[in-house]
Amino acid sequence: DNARLDNNAKKQNVGAARTAKEADSRNFYSMMQRASANLNKLTGGTLNEQTGLTEPGYNPANATDTFVSEIPLFGNAMSNEKKQLATQAQRMWVRAKLRDESGAAIGEKEMLDEISTFFPEFGEGEAVIKQKKESREAAEAAMLMATGVGYEPPPLPGGENVFDAANAIIGN
């Protein structure tokens, strides 16, 4: 088992995980990091080249992005793409967090409860949205700490710059 961990570390050019738990945490942290990067892309504004104006990103706390873009009767068939992408990223993030905590299968109610705990929902104010973001960052920081000493996460594909939980904890 240690040979597998060392081999994976060499492939990623990072220090070897000392335990299977550290190796799992590295995988889950990478999943959380990727999900956060995807959400950041969706929720950030984008520049419209034709008008020169910044268009707002997806915002699950407003009525347009939450209700107008979908008809629940048809599931994803009537949801706009941004909502589908946001939902996928939220589920990926929660799945990584819960798998690390329990390793068990994740029920739909538990999934929805975690999404409600960590991600903005329709009608929530700025203070609640900010607190949920800080809670996600704290969960990612905890996951990063579980990856073991000396772990440096590999860069995300495309070179995206994602919140660095380690620097936030030590104040760099």
Side-chain angles (χ1 to χ4, degrees), residues 30-40 89-90 92-93:
S30 293
M31 289 173 64
M32 292 171 87
Q33 197 178 37
R34 165 48 75 201
S36 290
N38 289 343
L39 283 169
N40 289 341
Q90 290 171 344
M92 181 173 149
W93 191 94

Side-chain angles (χ1 to χ4, degrees), residues 8 10-11 13 15 21 42 44 47 56 58 66-67 74 80 82 95 101 110 112 119 129 143 152 162:
N8 287 341
K10 288 175 188 169
K11 286 180 186 175
N13 198 25
K21 172 72 173 143
L42 283 171
L47 179 65
Y58 176 76
T66 301
F67 299 113
F74 298 107
N80 76 27
K82 285 184 179 179
R95 199 167 280 116
E101 290 176 359
E110 186 176 20
L112 296 175
F119 298 96
I129 292 169
M143 185 70 72
E152 304 238 356
V162 178

Side-chain angles (χ1 to χ4, degrees), residues 40-49 51-57 82:
N40 289 341
K41 282 194 288 188
L42 283 171
T43 57
T46 57
L47 179 65
N48 181 322
E49 298 290 333
T51 65
L53 300 173
T54 300
E55 297 175 355
K82 285 184 179 179

Side-chain angles (χ1 to χ4, degrees), residues 4-171:
R4 179 182 59 83
L5 297 176
D6 287 340
N7 189 37
N8 287 341
K10 288 175 188 169
K11 286 180 186 175
Q12 295 179 16
N13 198 25
V14 297
R18 293 173 299 191
T19 65
K21 172 72 173 143
E22 284 182 1
D24 287 345
S25 293
R26 290 176 181 194
N27 182 41
F28 295 134
Y29 177 71
S30 293
M31 289 173 64
M32 292 171 87
Q33 197 178 37
R34 165 48 75 201
S36 290
N38 289 343
L39 283 169
N40 289 341
K41 282 194 288 188
L42 283 171
T43 57
T46 57
L47 179 65
N48 181 322
E49 298 290 333
Q50 293 178 338
T51 65
L53 300 173
T54 300
E55 297 175 355
Y58 176 76
N59 180 358
N62 76 36
T64 302
D65 287 340
T66 301
F67 299 113
V68 177
S69 66
E70 74 173 80
I71 300 172
L73 184 64
F74 298 107
N76 273 345
M78 297 301 281
S79 289
N80 76 27
E81 186 177 61
K82 285 184 179 179
K83 180 167 178 65
Q84 291 175 20
L85 290 168
T87 299
Q88 185 277 333
Q90 290 171 344
R91 287 177 169 274
M92 181 173 149
W93 191 94
V94 167
R95 199 167 280 116
K97 179 186 175 292
L98 291 178
R99 287 281 185 190
D100 184 66
E101 290 176 359
S102 71
I106 300 158
E108 188 63 16
K109 181 181 179 339
E110 186 176 20
M111 176 67 73
L112 296 175
D113 287 348
E114 289 288 299
I115 288 172
S116 180
T117 299
F118 287 100
F119 298 96
E121 296 182 306
F122 173 68
E124 292 178 335
E126 286 183 36
V128 173
I129 292 169
K130 181 180 180 212
Q131 183 172 312
K132 286 183 174 190
K133 181 178 189 277
E134 290 169 352
S135 294
R136 286 192 310 276
E137 290 170 349
E140 287 181 28
M143 185 70 72
L144 179 60
M145 285 190 281
T147 65
V149 176
Y151 176 65
E152 304 238 356
L156 293 170
E160 291 126 321
N161 187 5
V162 178
F163 170 76
D164 185 340
N167 285 337
I169 290 171
I170 58 176

